[in-house]
């Protein structure tokens, strides 16, 4: 299997995981930058993530348009991915989804969504809320061009996640596994925070030092990270598509060195 085949397989697996974990439904998408050409990225054609197959993956440029002739319909909101890849050279993978549990935090803006559980630490200390109406007035709330995508990317800044008011979220990370992990735990963190607020009293958020300590211990191919990826893929019925990078799941920290 070539490196490119592996990338495509991984992206299919990511689609299936996000669907199985209820992060996406008929809508929502995940993309991966082309490791051989940082000005291109891969994203499925317009189809529900649960149904994505290898042949559905399309290569797009940083303008959000396909790099080869493409007659199939594409996601209307592909500009979210293009604009984030354009603005953030450090980012390798992006998710956009409408997970219901995060929506209240984009609407009731007096309550910020911040990490409250250890697995939620990866969403980052600051989760900005982007409101499309601030610059574009009354729209259908979808990000359908580069101008809107760039405005969202600007709001995301150097953070891992931006909420989109009344719509969903965009998350960005250095690897596909990491962006899936952030996107799976984001709604769980939101649920825990919402329930804690229902119990009343002062909310104890994760401290910056705790978030930093979690980040220091993170490696995309550590045993712990691979364990989650393998589990999710198996649950989503696509463990046969897993491609294990050299050293994945064998070293405590990162790929094994020879
Ligand atoms: Zn959307």
């Amino acid at each position: 299997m070539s490196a490119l085949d592996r990338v495509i397989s991984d992206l299919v697996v990511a689609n299936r995981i996000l669907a199985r974990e209820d992060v996406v439904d008929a809508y929502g998408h995940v993309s991966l930058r082309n490791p051989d050409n940082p000005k291109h990225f891969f994203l499925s054609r317009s189809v529900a993530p649960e149904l994505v197959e290898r042949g559905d993956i399309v290569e797009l440029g940083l303008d959000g348009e396909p790099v080869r002739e493409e007659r199939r319909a594409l996601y209307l909101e592909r500009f979210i991915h293009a604009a984030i890849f354009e603005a953030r050279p450090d980012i390798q993978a992006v998710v956009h989804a409408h997970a219901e549990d995060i929506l209240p935090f984009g609407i009731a803006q007096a309550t910020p969504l911040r990490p409250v559980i250890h697995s939620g630490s990866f969403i980052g200390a600051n989760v900005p809320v982007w409101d499309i109406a601030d610059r574009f007035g009354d729209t259908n709330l979808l990000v359908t061009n580069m101008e809107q995508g760039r405005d969202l990317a600007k709001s995301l800044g150097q953070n891992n996640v931006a909420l989109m008011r009344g719509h969903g979220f965009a998350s960005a990370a250095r690897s596909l596994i990491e962006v899936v992990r952030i996107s799976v735990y984001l709604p769980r963190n939101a649920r825990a925070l919402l329930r804690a607020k229902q119990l009343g009293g002062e909310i104890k958020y994760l401290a910056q030092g705790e978030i930093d300590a979690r980040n220091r211990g993170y490696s995309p191919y550590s045993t712990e990270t691979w364990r989650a990826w393998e589990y999710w893929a198996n649950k989503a019925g696509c463990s046969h598509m897993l491609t294990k990078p050299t050293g994945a799941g064998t070293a405590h920290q990162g790929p094994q060195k020879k």
Side-chain angles (χ1 to χ4, degrees):
M1 190 182 251
S2 74
L4 190 59
D5 282 343
R6 261 198 293 277
V7 161
I8 303 293
S9 275
D10 288 349
L11 191 53
V12 172
V13 171
N15 272 278
R16 307 278 187 87
I17 290 174
L18 291 169
R20 183 66 182 80
E21 298 300 319
D22 282 332
V23 179
V24 294
D25 49 19
Y27 304 97
H29 16 87
V30 52
S31 62
L32 181 61
R33 198 189 287 271
N34 183 342
D36 296 328
N37 180 354
K39 292 193 179 311
H40 290 178
F41 67 96
F42 297 105
L43 182 72
S44 171
R45 71 176 175 92
S46 181
V47 63
E50 187 173 323
L51 306 177
V52 169
E53 304 277 359
R54 294 175 51 89
D56 295 317
I57 304 296
V58 176
E59 189 169 2
L60 305 172
L62 295 185
D63 56 358
E65 299 302 341
V67 299
R68 292 175 201 87
E69 192 184 334
E70 182 56 63
R71 291 170 180 275
R72 298 172 296 180
L74 301 175
Y75 292 132
L76 293 175
E77 295 194 286
R78 59 190 183 276
F79 304 100
I80 293 172
H81 303 261
I84 292 174
F85 285 128
E86 179 189 63
R88 294 275 305 273
D90 58 314
I91 289 305
Q92 300 304 317
V94 172
V95 166
H96 167 60
H98 311 131
E100 199 175 318
D101 293 304
I102 60 98
L103 294 177
F105 295 93
I107 300 166
Q109 294 184 20
T111 302
L113 180 56
R114 286 164 50 192
V116 285
I117 55 174
H118 81 293
S119 49
S121 62
F122 301 111
I123 71 173
N126 182 38
V127 178
V129 177
W130 177 69
D131 187 347
I132 194 169
D134 286 348
R135 204 171 134 206
F136 302 99
D138 289 349
T139 64
N140 63 1
L141 281 97
L142 303 181
V143 177
T144 53
N145 58 51
M146 280 305 287
E147 200 185 354
Q148 293 170 339
R150 285 179 181 133
D151 198 50
L152 167 62
K154 197 171 153 196
S155 170
L156 174 69
Q158 293 302 306
N159 300 293
N160 300 338
V161 179
L163 300 185
M164 301 157 73
R165 192 267 306 166
H167 178 174
F169 73 88
S171 58
R174 298 160 294 176
S175 75
L176 189 62
I177 293 183
E178 192 177 352
V179 86
V180 167
R181 186 184 170 97
I182 289 173
S183 306
V184 166
Y185 285 113
L186 177 72
R188 293 183 191 191
N189 187 87
R191 278 201 294 277
L193 177 52
L194 203 58
R195 286 176 186 157
K197 285 189 78 71
Q198 285 164 351
L199 293 177
E202 191 194 340
I203 297 295
K204 185 136 190 186
Y205 293 94
L206 255 56
Q208 185 63 52
E210 291 174 325
I211 295 169
D212 294 343
R214 293 278 303 161
N215 278 333
R216 276 197 297 277
Y218 176 79
S219 162
Y221 297 111
S222 69
T223 303
E224 293 78 7
T225 307
W226 185 258
R227 181 168 138 188
W229 185 250
E230 203 172 31
Y231 163 71
W232 286 323
N234 188 57
K235 206 170 144 193
C238 53
S239 56
H240 61 285
M241 294 186 72
L242 285 179
T243 56
K244 198 170 184 175
T246 311
T250 57
H252 182 67
Q253 291 292 326
Q256 201 171 41
K257 294 194 176 64
K258 295 238 163 92

